[in-house]
Each structure stands twice: as C-alpha cells, then as structure tokens.
Amino acid sequence: MSLRVLTGIKPTGVPHLGNYVGAIRPAVAASADHGVESFFFLADYHALISTQDPGRVQRSTLEIAASWLACGLDPARVAFYRQSDVPETTELTWLLSCVAGKGLLNRAHAYKAAVDRNRAEGGDDDAGVTAGLYMYPVLMAADILLFNAHRVPVGRDQVQHIEMARDFAQRFNHLYGEHFTLPEAAIEEQVATLPGLDGRKMSKSYDNVIPLFAPRAELRRLVFSIVTDSRAPGEPKETEGSALFQLYQAFAGAEETGRMRAAFEEGIAWGEAKERLFERIDAELAPLRERYDALVADPGGIERILREGGERLRDVHARPFLARLRHAVGLRDLSLRDAGDARSDAGAAPAPPVFKQYREADGRFHFKLVDGDRVLLQGEGFESPRDCGRAVAVLKSGTVAPRIDGAGRAWLDDVAVGSLGAGVDPDALLAALARLAGEAE
Ligand code: TRP
C-alpha cells in the first residue's frame, strides 16, 4: 500500500501569505509525488467548535476550498473533500470516545488553556467550555483513523493530537483486533515562517498579514507598508533580520535572491526594493488570484467537486470500514452466527468462514467464501491461479475492504472480484471478512 498522507484544514478566516508559503504551497507540491496517496479535507465539523456563526462557516469553507484549488491542488489526483460529507467520521468519533481515556482528554492543550484562563479569572474551571472543545482530539483522531493515514503533516501545536490518536487506536486494536494503523506526525520543522508587515511572524493574531488573494492594488499598498529601518537611498542595507528581504526570498529563486542581496549591499532605496518585492509576489500570485476569483464566482462547481470527493471516499473506504468496525465492537446483524471471538461466552466457537479455490471446466480459476454451507461470495473466474490467489489474499488480509455495488458485485479498486451469494447482505460479507482478518493476527 502506498504512503497515505492526510491533512485537515479548519475553515476559519481567509488564508494569508504565511499560510501559503508555510503550508499550502509545500503541501500541494508534495501531493504531486508518486507513491503518495494524499487526503485533504475541510474540517468543518471542527469549525463548529470555534464559531457558531453559520454564515461564517459556509463562507469560509467556500473560500478555503477555492484557495487550495486555485493553488493547484488537483482533485483528480488527491482525495479532496469536506469532513461533514463523510458522516462516518462522527460514528467513528463515538466508537473512539468509548475507548478514549477522559484523563487523557483533560490534558489536551486547548482544553487546558481554557481551564487556565478560567482559573486566572477566578471562574469555574469549565465555564464556557463546550463538550465539543473537550472532544476535539477524538474528532481529529476519527479523521485520521477513518482512512488509516500513515502520516499527518502538522505544526508543533498539533503533535499532541496525533499522539492521542495513536493512543485511541492502540486501545481499540488491543480490545477488538488490528483495525487501525498508528499514524505518525510529520512535524514541519523547516517550514518557512514568514514575517508579517511589522517583522513579527505573519499571523492573524498580530494583525500583520497580507491576505493571499488581495487584489493587486491592495497587495501593493500592503507591501509598501512593510516596516523597514531609516537608511537612506545609497546607504548599504542589512539583509539579516529584514522582513522585506525574507519575504522576497520566499518567492524568488536563488539567482534572483542573490541579485537582491547585491542590491541591498549597493544601497537600493527602500521604495525601489518594495516595488521589486511587490512585482515578484504578484508575478506568482496573479494567475492563482485569477483562478481563485473564478472559483469563488461558481460556488456550485466547488460544491460538486467536494461532494464527488466525499462520495468516492465513502464508497471505497468509509462505509465498508465502518461496517467492519461495527461488527468488531458487537454492533452486529443478529442473524449472523456468533463470531465466537475471545470475548464471547457462547461456548465453543463455530468454524470460521473459509475461502476455497478451484479450477472449473472452463479452465479458469475460481474461489468462493463459504460460511458453513452458505456461499457468502462467489469469485470471478481468473485467468491465472496467481491472480485468483492474490484476490483471495487481499480479501483475507482485511487491509482493504471490497466495495459492494448495487448489483451485489464486489470490487477491489476497479477490479470486480466476485458477487454476493444469494440472499447475502453486504454487511454480512464485510463482517465475515473482518472476522477472518481478525483471526489471521
Ligand atoms: N486541528 C487541525 C488544525 O487546527 C485541523 C484538523 C482537523 C486536522 N482534523 C485533522 C489536521 C486531522 C490533521 C488531521 O489545524
């Protein structure tokens, strides 16, 4: 399986140049790598924790989605979706809540910060704290574990959440079998932090940002408001510690940067340096801004892209995976034979379902999955025993659940591998496969 990298973006506010240089541009570049399966989603369930203004959630979701698309994220290559379009996320949040230690959640930074603020003000510890804020790490763990992501690129402030996701996954796996991959945080150490207009880190909380898609005139005005020292034209200028120079470097190649460095030494006037910086930034952003404006002007188009992304993921991953997890915890079809797992006290376990492989008179290689005398899945005829064996191995391993279409055919990616036996419910098949995968461990 290829490396799965998952990134969640909370839709609050509009992105600025710091977000672009530090997060959007590198993530879009990395998503084009081969051998990487990228998942990008708009964490709109998370947005409800920090804002209760419905219009703001909607607007921000549109603007952030348009920003990522305008910056080159290709929804045909990566999974691009909206969290709330995959409601299995909330069901998984509950399953994880039931293994998550409350004590661990007490130690989450965001919650602790709220408690500290309350204490400093002499109020009740939990004044103004919603259960949503408290549960934030569990919802985030569900985002990650739902797709068994291997790697989650995050800033330092989010590392604790990834640790918690690992903890919940481990507890769940320990109780119910190996269902979850333990995710790893990829900490963005070397990510450029861009200075803002006043030289401090560009951040909304310092009110020193340049919005990513500010119109050209506004961009120019903001660039000209960058703080510089008072050296006159002709006086050599320091590149070290110059916000203007650092901004230039974030947009220019090595050669251009070298020329700017020389111009600093030669005493370029600040006005001239600002003009060059403005033109350099605008050269990169103007085409993106044009795409952004077009995207925002057609919200229906973005709505379609997001919905399609979400639906595909539900079909291929989320629905079958949740069927397996439901079975694992005991939310089961009552007519199924007792799975006889370790926790069952129903006496001797009945024999597990088995795969049988054989060759038919047509010369092709077949398999079937049988539970007692019931055929759960009748395999396709394969040309070679290897292909047949491989399909069986994948189904048995439990790493990918087959997708069952409306006609009862089972698919692995875009290969039809078999059909449901007569009267067999898709969930019964997924449950039988989950049981086999659990036993193989
Ligand atoms: N908590 C993240 C943030 O505030 C956003 C987020 C939600 C996220 N779910 C995620 C990030 C899953 C990575 C993976 O930035």
Side-chain angles (χ1 to χ4, degrees), residues 6 8 10 41 43 46 136 140 143-144 152 154 158:
L6 180 137
K10 209 160 78 173
F41 69 96
H46 276 99
Y136 190 112
M140 181 159 160
D143 295 329
I144 298 166
V152 186
V154 286
Q158 298 288 318

Side-chain angles (χ1 to χ4, degrees), residues 273-355:
K274 286 177 175 178
E275 196 65 51
R276 282 199 209 171
L277 170 62
F278 160 65
E279 290 297 350
R280 189 66 205 80
I281 297 178
D282 194 55
E284 179 163 333
L285 295 187
L288 311 189
R289 188 190 302 132
E290 203 172 308
R291 259 185 293 180
Y292 176 82
D293 291 339
L295 284 159
V296 169
D298 176 25
I302 295 189
E303 181 66 27
R304 253 190 321 279
I305 290 172
L306 292 175
R307 280 204 200 174
E308 274 166 22
E311 258 154 44
R312 201 164 52 215
L313 285 177
R314 289 189 83 188
D315 283 350
V316 177
H317 297 285
R319 280 206 199 91
F321 194 37
L322 254 297
R324 176 175 152 189
L325 296 177
R326 285 170 145 257
H327 180 84
V329 299
L331 306 176
R332 292 177 180 167
D333 176 342
L334 301 181
S335 71
L336 278 179
R337 297 198 301 158
D338 185 319
D341 55 76
R343 303 183 165 268
S344 164
D345 52 9
V354 284
F355 276 101

Side-chain angles (χ1 to χ4, degrees), residues 158-421:
Q158 298 288 318
V159 172
Q160 187 195 35
H161 292 150
I162 313 299
E163 298 299 326
M164 289 188 176
R166 289 174 68 89
D167 182 89
F168 307 152
Q170 248 158 345
R171 290 185 195 216
F172 192 98
N173 285 353
H174 179 69
L175 287 165
Y176 300 117
E178 293 295 313
H179 297 284
F180 295 124
T181 303
L182 304 188
E184 282 182 20
I187 305 161
E188 295 150 331
E189 300 278 17
Q190 75 308 3
V191 152
T193 45
L194 209 63
L197 301 175
D198 57 359
R200 288 185 294 173
K201 175 185 172 190
M202 189 179 288
S203 163
K204 251 198 324 244
S205 41
Y206 294 146
D207 198 20
N208 64 356
V209 307
I210 302 180
L212 176 55
F213 296 119
R216 192 177 143 89
E218 168 79 355
L219 176 63
R220 185 166 191 282
R221 190 185 65 75
L222 288 168
V223 167
F224 273 77
S225 76
I226 293 169
V227 173
T228 53
D229 61 30
S230 55
R231 283 174 219 210
E235 268 187 82
K237 313 264 182 311
E238 287 284 346
T239 52
E240 186 71 28
S242 159
L244 199 154
F245 186 77
Q246 282 174 49
L247 278 155
Y248 190 81
Q249 200 168 20
F251 285 86
E255 218 172 285
E256 281 173 305
T257 303
R259 282 201 293 276
M260 184 59 109
R261 189 185 299 280
F264 265 55
E265 281 161 15
E266 289 155 17
I268 187 174
W270 284 125
E272 169 61 20
K274 286 177 175 178
E275 196 65 51
R276 282 199 209 171
L277 170 62
F278 160 65
E279 290 297 350
R280 189 66 205 80
I281 297 178
D282 194 55
E284 179 163 333
L285 295 187
L288 311 189
R289 188 190 302 132
E290 203 172 308
R291 259 185 293 180
Y292 176 82
D293 291 339
L295 284 159
V296 169
D298 176 25
I302 295 189
E303 181 66 27
R304 253 190 321 279
I305 290 172
L306 292 175
R307 280 204 200 174
E308 274 166 22
E311 258 154 44
R312 201 164 52 215
L313 285 177
R314 289 189 83 188
D315 283 350
V316 177
H317 297 285
R319 280 206 199 91
F321 194 37
L322 254 297
R324 176 175 152 189
L325 296 177
R326 285 170 145 257
H327 180 84
V329 299
L331 306 176
R332 292 177 180 167
D333 176 342
L334 301 181
S335 71
L336 278 179
R337 297 198 301 158
D338 185 319
D341 55 76
R343 303 183 165 268
S344 164
D345 52 9
V354 284
F355 276 101
K356 296 188 174 161
Q357 294 185 55
Y358 52 96
R359 194 169 185 185
E360 286 277 24
D362 62 4
R364 297 173 78 85
F365 296 84
H366 294 256
F367 72 82
K368 59 187 172 184
L369 175 64
V370 295
D371 184 30
D373 49 14
R374 192 156 76 127
V375 176
L376 297 176
L377 182 68
Q378 177 66 61
E380 299 283 315
F382 290 88
E383 292 286 352
S384 79
R386 268 239 320 277
D387 291 344
C388 186
R390 201 176 293 149
V392 169
V394 172
L395 291 169
K396 252 189 192 167
S397 72
T399 46
V400 208
R403 176 173 63 83
I404 317 290
D405 69 17
R409 287 192 108 193
W411 300 76
L412 286 171
D413 288 328
D414 49 2
V415 180
V417 290
S419 304
L420 288 178

